[in-house]
Amino acid sequence: MVCVRTGRALPSLDRSSRYRQGMCCDRTPSLAEGQGVPPSWLHSAGPIVFRPASGRTQVLVPSAVPDPRDLGTAAAAAAPTGRFAARTAGMTASEIRALFAVASRPEVVSLAGGMPNLAALPLDALASEVGELVAAEGQTALQYGSAQGTPALREQICEVMRLEGINADPSDVVVTVGSQMALDLITRIYCDPGDVVLAEGPSYVGALGSFAAYQARVVHIEMDAHGLVPSLLRSALESLARQGITPKFLYTIPNFHNPAGVTLAVERRPEILEICASYGVAVVEDNPYGLLGFSGTIYPALRSLDRNVVYLGSFSKTFASGLRVGWALVPPAVRDRLVLAAESATLCPPTFNQMIVSRYLQTQDWQSQIKTFTEAYRERRDAMLSALETYLPPGCSWNVPDGGFYVWLTVPEGVDTKAMLPRAVTARVAYASGTGFYADGYGSRQLRLSFCYPTPERITEGVRRLAGVLTAELDVMRTFGVPTRAASLKPGPGAPSPDTA
């Protein structure tokens, strides 16, 4: 995985801007013209950028797939880990999972996880609905169901998607155990080992974990303040085409991006679809935050512009994450394979959970509930932005999200957010370091801050503590100098978990 560049400086962002998107990968390994590829790079988690003297960017995708069973001795190969499939080489724990037990203590302000705030849900009314469901339809709700999902919920999902301009047939909807399952299954049915997937840089850690698990290679396309940059997408596809490589799909989060917080400009959406279509590349649109815009704007889904787009949705952010109900809207040619893959994974999604969601959509004013959620998140967003402006030392920059859950923060040169994380937890504040959102571990100057769960007061205190940790890091750097980092590939993304959702 790399950020694909044109060989020029980022055209879209000013490094001195206070509210700048910190999205560049400033330590991408590259090769001079005529330089050979080091053997260790051939077993890396992602491709390499080659910049010939002509200035034309080329993406080199290693063909070798690492084999964890290649341990050197018969005794090592006979060990339990020696029997693992080669694809397990891409399966690692998320970066903050080891610290999660500490970060979840009450005295620690966690700005790390993307947990929805469910305090505004009408729990008494929901409890009554669940009781009535069991009493009246328990024989159905507690039984096996269809692998594609209950017909009633699939029809209601089409109504939800209509808010984003999508006209869909319920027969093309496949209900899944959260949209993470849909993403995993889509990767399974599209990707063979060594296939290339395009994704924004940075990208959702759960997606990167699925791509790594199926041994897909990730090429990241840079974003700016208006989302994915079409010219860089075209440059990446041209470079790959010269090598005879057609990526399997572009994975994109167009609205209130996780982790970057940006939204894809409306005028760029048809252009990106046209570029992908011209190169025969499918588009997978992941849109869990689309209805959580702070200005009240609902952006047109990519799927509303092209019926061939694979659309992933979820009730985790707009209703209840613990029910784990998501869906995929897919073209008919994909649907049958996706249903078969779902059957092999879970046999069927939980009917009980689906019927709870269906009752909620039928009996509650769910659109007003989404507005209530959005108002709470906007208040928390404002608290975070105010605290960042008040407390953070000079040299930091961040975006201003217009929806969703996240602020993407860039720290001064020389600060390593992954190395700093244990010290932050010691200071009783937690965040998600930026390296987890790149497939080869870049992003060490970035971190993701989540404002969705803590109260505004806790957010303010958490940012104040984080500022203290950053100030201490900068003081050490001024005393001892900025450390020099070797341009080497780093471990890939962690497997998804609730603390990095």
Side-chain angles (χ1 to χ4, degrees):
M1 179 292 304
V2 296
C3 290
V4 177
R5 300 179 186 274
T6 62
R8 301 187 298 271
L10 274 176
S12 51
L13 300 174
D14 180 359
R15 289 182 181 274
S16 64
S17 173
R18 184 67 170 170
Y19 289 96
R20 185 183 67 80
Q21 309 290 340
M23 297 177 187
C24 65
C25 173
D26 53 4
R27 285 174 294 281
T28 301
S30 60
L31 301 176
E33 188 167 15
Q35 180 182 353
V37 178
S40 61
W41 288 19
L42 294 177
H43 299 279
S44 67
I48 304 154
V49 165
F50 171 56
R51 296 186 181 89
S54 64
R56 187 174 64 183
T57 300
Q58 183 179 7
V59 182
L60 299 179
V61 183
S63 59
V65 176
D67 188 342
R69 295 168 295 188
D70 185 14
L71 303 179
T73 68
T81 55
R83 304 188 189 100
F84 289 162
R87 61 181 172 273
T88 61
M91 299 170 67
T92 59
S94 61
E95 291 192 345
I96 68 169
R97 183 178 292 176
L99 294 170
F100 190 54
V102 176
S104 60
R105 293 175 180 173
E107 67 270 20
V108 176
V109 179
S110 179
L111 306 176
M115 294 185 297
N117 193 312
L118 304 182
L121 276 177
L123 295 181
D124 290 343
L126 290 175
S128 177
E129 291 292 341
V130 171
E132 291 181 12
L133 172 62
V134 173
E137 301 181 78
Q139 291 285 348
T140 301
L142 301 176
Q143 185 56 274
Y144 287 127
S146 165
Q148 192 170 351
T150 63
L153 180 59
R154 287 190 280 119
E155 291 179 4
Q156 291 168 311
I157 286 172
C158 290
E159 292 296 320
V160 173
M161 292 189 294
R162 192 165 287 119
L163 296 176
E164 297 174 321
I166 298 174
N167 292 314
D169 190 313
S171 64
D172 293 331
V173 174
V174 179
V175 179
T176 56
V177 183
S179 61
Q180 178 65 40
M181 175 185 171
L183 177 57
D184 188 88
L185 296 178
I186 289 294
T187 308
R188 184 201 296 188
I189 65 177
Y190 270 86
C191 293
D192 290 316
D195 282 343
V196 172
V197 170
L198 303 178
E200 293 133 339
S203 190
Y204 168 50
V205 65
L208 299 179
S210 290
F211 302 154
Y214 292 105
Q215 299 170 287
R217 306 287 178 166
V218 179
V219 172
H220 278 303
I221 314 298
E222 285 184 12
M223 293 183 287
D224 61 19
H226 305 290
L228 185 66
V229 181
S231 62
L232 298 182
L233 173 63
R234 190 183 296 277
S235 294
L237 287 168
E238 289 174 352
S239 175
L240 291 166
R242 287 193 295 268
Q243 303 173 67
I245 297 173
T246 299
K248 285 301 182 74
F249 56 80
L250 165 69
Y251 170 75
T252 178
I253 307 171
N255 300 319
F256 320 125
H257 189 275
N258 177 8
V262 301
T263 295
L264 180 62
V266 172
E267 58 270 18
R268 289 184 179 181
R269 298 184 181 214
E271 182 179 2
I272 286 171
L273 292 172
E274 184 276 327
I275 292 171
C276 288
S278 66
Y279 283 89
V281 175
V283 175
V284 177
E285 175 183 17
D286 195 357
N287 192 32
Y289 309 98
L291 299 181
L292 297 176
F294 300 148
S295 65
T297 300
I298 299 178
Y299 295 95
L302 297 175
R303 169 68 191 225
S304 72
L305 306 175
D306 185 346
R307 293 181 62 84
N308 291 315
V309 170
V310 173
Y311 177 98
L312 308 182
S314 175
F315 290 106
S316 291
K317 308 303 188 294
T318 57
F319 178 28
S321 56
L323 290 174
R324 309 305 302 133
V325 177
W327 72 90
L329 173 64
V330 296
V334 179
R335 179 191 59 221
D336 293 343
R337 295 295 178 91
L338 184 59
V339 171
L340 290 173
E343 286 178 334
S344 70
T346 62
L347 189 61
C348 64
T351 304
F352 183 62
N353 294 19
Q354 294 177 75
M355 294 182 73
I356 290 175
V357 174
S358 184
R359 274 200 169 231
Y360 171 75
L361 296 174
Q362 180 182 2
T363 64
Q364 304 298 313
D365 187 355
W366 57 272
Q367 293 192 50
S368 293
Q369 185 64 54
I370 290 175
K371 291 180 181 178
T372 299
F373 284 142
T374 301
E375 290 169 2
Y377 295 141
R378 181 173 54 232
E379 180 186 16
R380 286 160 167 77
R381 187 275 313 262
D382 292 345
M384 177 165 284
L385 294 178
S386 177
L388 292 172
E389 187 67 51
T390 300
Y391 294 113
L392 284 196
C396 297
S397 57
W398 55 88
N399 66 304
V400 179
D402 191 35
F405 286 4
Y406 308 110
V407 166
W408 186 243
L409 173 66
T410 298
V411 298
E413 177 66 41
V415 177
D416 187 323
T417 60
K418 182 178 180 179
M420 189 178 72
L421 180 56
R423 295 186 282 280
V425 172
T426 300
R428 297 175 298 154
V429 61
Y431 58 81
S433 62
T435 53
F437 302 99
Y438 289 91
D440 57 5
Y442 287 96
S444 60
R445 280 189 62 200
Q446 282 80 41
L447 57 88
R448 188 191 73 178
L449 298 175
S450 301
F451 53 79
C452 47
Y453 189 76
T455 64
E457 295 75 19
R458 292 277 286 173
I459 290 171
T460 300
E461 176 60 19
V463 172
R464 187 191 68 79
R465 295 175 186 178
L466 175 62
V469 176
L470 269 171
T471 300
E473 294 284 307
L474 294 171
D475 288 343
V476 170
M477 287 166 47
R478 279 190 288 268
T479 302
F480 298 102
V482 178
T484 301
R485 295 191 184 94
S488 60
L489 294 176
K490 302 179 182 181
S497 61
D499 49 299
T500 54

